[in-house]
Coordinates of all heavy atoms in Angstrom, one line a residue:
G1 N 89.8 91.3 86.0 CA 90.2 91.2 84.6 C 90.3 92.5 83.8 O 90.7 92.5 82.7
K2 N 89.8 93.6 84.4 CA 89.8 94.9 83.7 C 90.7 95.8 84.4 O 90.8 95.8 85.7 CB 88.4 95.5 83.6 CG 87.4 94.6 82.8 CD 86.0 95.2 82.8 CE 85.1 94.3 82.1 NZ 83.7 94.8 82.1
R3 N 91.3 96.8 83.7 CA 92.1 97.8 84.3 C 91.3 98.5 85.4 O 90.2 99.0 85.1 CB 92.7 98.7 83.3 CG 93.8 99.6 83.9 CD 94.4 100.5 82.9 NE 93.5 101.6 82.7 CZ 93.4 102.3 81.6 NH1 94.1 102.0 80.5 NH2 92.5 103.2 81.4
Y4 N 91.9 98.7 86.5 CA 91.1 99.3 87.7 C 91.1 100.8 87.4 O 92.2 101.4 87.4 CB 91.8 98.9 88.9 CG 91.1 99.4 90.2 CD1 89.8 99.1 90.4 CD2 91.8 100.2 91.1 CE1 89.2 99.6 91.6 CE2 91.2 100.6 92.3 CZ 89.9 100.3 92.5 OH 89.3 100.8 93.6
E5 N 89.9 101.3 87.4 CA 89.7 102.7 87.3 C 88.8 103.2 88.4 O 87.6 102.8 88.5 CB 89.2 103.1 85.9 CG 90.1 102.8 84.8 CD 89.5 103.1 83.4 OE1 88.6 103.9 83.4 OE2 90.0 102.6 82.4
K6 N 89.3 104.1 89.2 CA 88.5 104.7 90.3 C 88.9 106.1 90.4 O 90.1 106.4 90.3 CB 88.7 103.9 91.6 CG 87.8 104.4 92.7 CD 88.0 103.6 94.0 CE 87.1 104.1 95.1 NZ 87.6 103.7 96.4
R7 N 87.9 107.0 90.6 CA 88.2 108.4 90.7 C 89.3 108.6 91.8 O 89.2 108.1 92.9 CB 86.9 109.1 91.0 CG 87.1 110.6 91.0 CD 85.8 111.3 91.2 NE 86.0 112.7 91.1 CZ 85.1 113.6 91.3 NH1 83.8 113.2 91.6 NH2 85.4 114.9 91.3
G8 N 90.3 109.4 91.5 CA 91.3 109.7 92.4 C 92.5 108.7 92.4 O 93.4 108.9 93.1
R9 N 92.4 107.6 91.6 CA 93.4 106.7 91.6 C 94.2 106.8 90.2 O 93.7 107.1 89.2 CB 92.9 105.2 91.7 CG 92.2 104.9 93.0 CD 93.2 105.0 94.1 NE 92.6 104.5 95.3 CZ 93.2 104.6 96.5 NH1 94.3 105.3 96.6 NH2 92.6 104.2 97.6
K10 N 95.5 106.5 90.3 CA 96.4 106.6 89.1 C 96.1 105.3 88.3 O 95.6 104.3 88.7 CB 97.8 106.5 89.5 CG 98.2 107.8 90.4 CD 99.7 107.6 90.8 CE 100.1 108.8 91.7 NZ 101.5 108.7 92.1
I11 N 96.6 105.4 87.0 CA 96.5 104.3 86.1 C 97.7 103.3 86.3 O 97.5 102.1 86.3 CB 96.5 104.8 84.6 CG1 95.2 105.5 84.4 CG2 96.6 103.6 83.7 CD1 95.1 106.2 83.0
A12 N 98.8 103.9 86.7 CA 100.0 103.1 86.9 C 100.8 103.6 88.1 O 100.7 104.8 88.4 CB 100.9 103.1 85.6
Y13 N 101.5 102.7 88.7 CA 102.3 103.1 89.9 C 103.8 102.7 89.7 O 104.1 101.8 89.0 CB 101.8 102.3 91.1 CG 100.4 102.8 91.4 CD1 99.3 102.2 90.8 CD2 100.1 103.8 92.3 CE1 98.0 102.6 91.1 CE2 98.8 104.3 92.6 CZ 97.8 103.7 92.0 OH 96.5 104.1 92.2
L14 N 104.6 103.5 90.2 CA 106.1 103.3 90.0 C 106.7 102.2 90.9 O 107.8 101.7 90.6 CB 106.8 104.6 90.3 CG 106.5 105.7 89.3 CD1 107.3 107.0 89.7 CD2 106.7 105.4 87.9
T15 N 106.0 101.8 92.0 CA 106.5 100.7 92.8 C 105.3 99.7 93.0 O 104.2 100.1 93.1 CB 107.0 101.2 94.2 OG1 105.9 101.8 94.9 CG2 108.1 102.2 94.0
R16 N 105.7 98.5 93.3 CA 104.7 97.5 93.6 C 104.1 97.8 94.9 O 102.9 97.5 95.1 CB 105.3 96.1 93.6 CG 104.3 95.0 93.9 CD 105.0 93.6 93.9 NE 105.3 93.2 92.5 CZ 104.4 92.7 91.6 NH1 103.2 92.5 91.9 NH2 104.9 92.4 90.4
G17 N 104.8 98.3 95.9 CA 104.3 98.7 97.2 C 103.2 99.7 97.1 O 102.2 99.6 97.8
A18 N 103.4 100.7 96.2 CA 102.3 101.7 96.1 C 101.0 101.1 95.6 O 99.9 101.4 96.0 CB 102.8 102.8 95.2
A19 N 101.2 100.2 94.6 CA 100.0 99.5 94.0 C 99.4 98.6 95.0 O 98.1 98.6 95.1 CB 100.4 98.7 92.8
K20 N 100.2 97.9 95.8 CA 99.6 97.0 96.8 C 98.8 97.8 97.9 O 97.8 97.4 98.5 CB 100.7 96.2 97.5 CG 101.2 95.1 96.7 CD 102.4 94.4 97.3 CE 101.9 93.4 98.3 NZ 102.9 92.5 98.9
G21 N 99.4 99.0 98.2 CA 98.7 99.9 99.2 C 97.3 100.2 98.7 O 96.3 100.3 99.5
V22 N 97.1 100.5 97.4 CA 95.8 100.9 96.8 C 94.9 99.7 96.9 O 93.7 99.7 97.3 CB 96.0 101.4 95.4 CG1 94.6 101.5 94.7 CG2 96.6 102.7 95.4
V23 N 95.4 98.5 96.5 CA 94.6 97.2 96.6 C 94.2 97.0 98.0 O 93.0 96.7 98.3 CB 95.4 96.1 96.0 CG1 94.7 94.7 96.3 CG2 95.6 96.2 94.5
T24 N 95.0 97.1 99.0 CA 94.7 96.9 100.4 C 93.6 97.8 100.8 O 92.6 97.4 101.4 CB 95.9 97.0 101.3 OG1 96.9 96.1 100.9 CG2 95.6 96.8 102.8
S25 N 93.8 99.1 100.6 CA 92.8 100.1 101.0 C 91.4 99.9 100.3 O 90.4 99.9 101.0 CB 93.3 101.5 100.6 OG 92.4 102.5 100.9

């Protein structure tokens, strides 16, 4: 429920696929 913040990660992604890759990893 909170915006995901982790060192080295972006706040927003331009594609859903890029965001899904971060979630998967």
Side-chain angles (χ1 to χ4, degrees):
K2 297 179 183 176
R3 191 177 76 211
Y4 183 55
E5 295 180 17
K6 184 177 177 196
R7 187 174 183 182
R9 295 294 189 197
K10 296 178 183 179
I11 293 172
Y13 295 85
L14 297 178
T15 65
R16 180 175 292 277
K20 285 177 81 173
V22 170
V23 169
T24 299
S25 174

